Amino acid sequence: MAQAIKIYDDRMCALVRPGALLQKLANGAVHSEGPVYFHEDDSVVWSDAHSNRLLRWSPTDNVTVLRDPSDYQSGNYRDLQDRLVACSSGLRAIIRCEDDGEWKILVDRYQGKRLNSPNDLVVKSDGTIWFTDPPYGITEPNQGYGGEPEQPGSYVYRFDPTTGEIYPVVTDMVRPNGLAFSPDESLLYVSDTAAFNIPGGPHHIRVYETVDSRHVKNGRVFAIIDPGQPDGLRIDEHGNVFTSSQDSVQVYAPDGTQLGKILVPETSANLTFGGRERDRLFITAGKSLYVIDLNTRGVQL
Ligand code: MG
């Protein structure tokens, strides 16, 4: 365990517990990504994205392997029926674990052409799935099965699993990656990880206003993230943005002010709120899964 908090603004003090320690729950992964919390058994499921496995941690079972291979599963989430839904960078699809344990492809095409490689997703309160589609499962040999891009760009899509309707909502980003809605879903935050392998590429979070739960408008840069780039992000009950970065989970107020950092000894890729009170922050970073207890609650699990 290690002291983990850096405070840049007094508002950070209300979000953390004095002397809070970052605790490592698990290690031995290759590249931890996409954590999702299960309140039923206090467990966390996450992707060991580069070794093509899906892992689970629980206080009683420690670490177990849920899927091997996982078709390069990346971001994970739960739908309104508490089913596990996920991005499959290998299958270039959004997939869902059915009640019988079988994984079903929900969508893998837009206008008849294959998606790039869905990376991260959120389920909105109306049940629609919003996901990012950068090409890493095509371009990076340890993140998918390769292939050719068929879409003209890297977009954020809105997909309705009830009707099958899919269309892009964000088309002005370079490599959209992590995403999350504000507590009232009036705002959509999306990280751009282009700087990962595009020299001079963006390493920022953009924010958009949602329109009628179907579209977004007025996109602008919310925060430029250093060092490294943002990947997964989550929002707390006050609308604060918690984003992964190279050295920490960085915390930003809704007005864009950086409040502080939760230092993490490995590069964090993603995070999720969990715990019975939704006040524990689980962080996937490098080879490991970490947790820290906070004084604020997440709005999305
Ligand atoms: Mg990601």
Side-chain angles (χ1 to χ4, degrees), residues 33 119 177 231:
E33 244 283 18
N119 186 283
N177 198 310
D231 193 337

Side-chain angles (χ1 to χ4, degrees), residues 61-98:
D61 302 333
N62 202 2
V63 179
T64 51
V65 178
L66 286 186
R67 294 187 79 200
D68 183 7
S70 63
D71 289 318
Y72 293 99
Q73 206 158 316
S74 180
N76 297 287
Y77 214 85
R78 300 186 79 186
D79 69 9
L80 302 187
Q81 289 77 43
D82 278 338
R83 294 170 296 195
L84 183 54
V85 288
C87 293
S88 175
S89 288
L91 298 178
R92 300 168 67 170
I94 301 298
I95 58 177
R96 183 176 69 203
C97 188
E98 302 297 292

Side-chain angles (χ1 to χ4, degrees), residues 17-287:
R17 301 182 184 185
L21 299 174
L22 182 75
Q23 181 183 358
K24 183 186 282 193
L25 297 175
N27 59 15
V30 175
H31 180 74
S32 291
E33 244 283 18
V36 61
Y37 180 76
F38 285 73
H39 55 84
E40 296 90 335
D41 55 6
D42 198 26
S43 68
V44 176
V45 169
W46 82 100
S47 299
D48 188 3
H50 294 186
S51 77
N52 205 0
R53 298 186 303 168
L54 187 67
L55 305 177
R56 172 182 178 270
W57 171 89
S58 82
T60 51
D61 302 333
N62 202 2
V63 179
T64 51
V65 178
L66 286 186
R67 294 187 79 200
D68 183 7
S70 63
D71 289 318
Y72 293 99
Q73 206 158 316
S74 180
N76 297 287
Y77 214 85
R78 300 186 79 186
D79 69 9
L80 302 187
Q81 289 77 43
D82 278 338
R83 294 170 296 195
L84 183 54
V85 288
C87 293
S88 175
S89 288
L91 298 178
R92 300 168 67 170
I94 301 298
I95 58 177
R96 183 176 69 203
C97 188
E98 302 297 292
D99 292 337
D100 60 5
E102 292 295 311
W103 287 87
K104 174 185 178 182
I105 292 179
L106 298 182
V107 64
D108 61 357
R109 288 171 190 272
Y110 169 61
Q111 292 189 329
K113 297 188 169 81
R114 295 187 75 185
L115 299 170
N116 292 325
S117 58
N119 186 283
D120 212 346
L121 76 172
V122 289
V123 176
K124 204 166 178 292
S125 60
D126 62 4
T128 55
I129 298 172
W130 297 51
F131 67 94
T132 59
D133 190 40
Y136 296 128
I138 300 171
T139 60
E140 305 303 311
N142 58 359
Q143 295 188 42
Y145 300 125
E148 294 297 323
E150 298 183 17
Q151 299 296 335
S154 296
Y155 303 147
V156 180
Y157 291 91
R158 177 190 184 273
F159 169 65
D160 187 337
T162 305
T163 64
E165 180 186 38
I166 179 173
Y167 55 86
V169 287
V170 174
T171 58
D172 61 353
M173 296 183 69
V174 184
R175 294 289 183 264
N177 198 310
L179 73 172
F181 287 104
S182 63
D184 64 0
E185 299 185 334
S186 65
L187 301 173
L188 174 69
Y189 295 90
V190 187
S191 71
D192 197 320
T193 49
F196 163 65
N197 61 2
I198 300 176
H203 45 101
H204 61 210
I205 297 170
R206 289 177 63 80
V207 62
Y208 298 83
E209 299 168 19
T210 56
V211 183
D212 299 333
S213 293
R214 295 186 58 85
H215 299 281
V216 301
K217 67 176 184 180
N218 296 336
R220 60 180 172 82
V221 174
F222 170 74
I224 296 172
I225 305 301
D226 284 305
Q229 59 271 329
D231 193 337
L233 54 94
R234 286 288 180 267
I235 315 294
D236 77 358
E237 58 191 333
H238 309 293
N240 298 308
V241 177
F242 290 67
T243 178
S244 58
S245 73
Q246 184 173 304
D247 67 345
S248 62
V249 170
Q250 300 186 18
V251 185
Y252 290 81
D255 65 10
T257 305
Q258 187 177 12
L259 302 182
K261 285 181 174 181
I262 301 167
L263 295 173
V264 182
E266 301 174 76
T267 297
S268 58
N270 217 322
L271 53 141
T272 193
F273 284 92
R276 307 281 185 208
E277 303 297 325
R278 304 198 315 275
D279 59 355
R280 312 193 80 197
L281 189 67
F282 293 91
I283 303 163
T284 50
K287 301 176 177 3

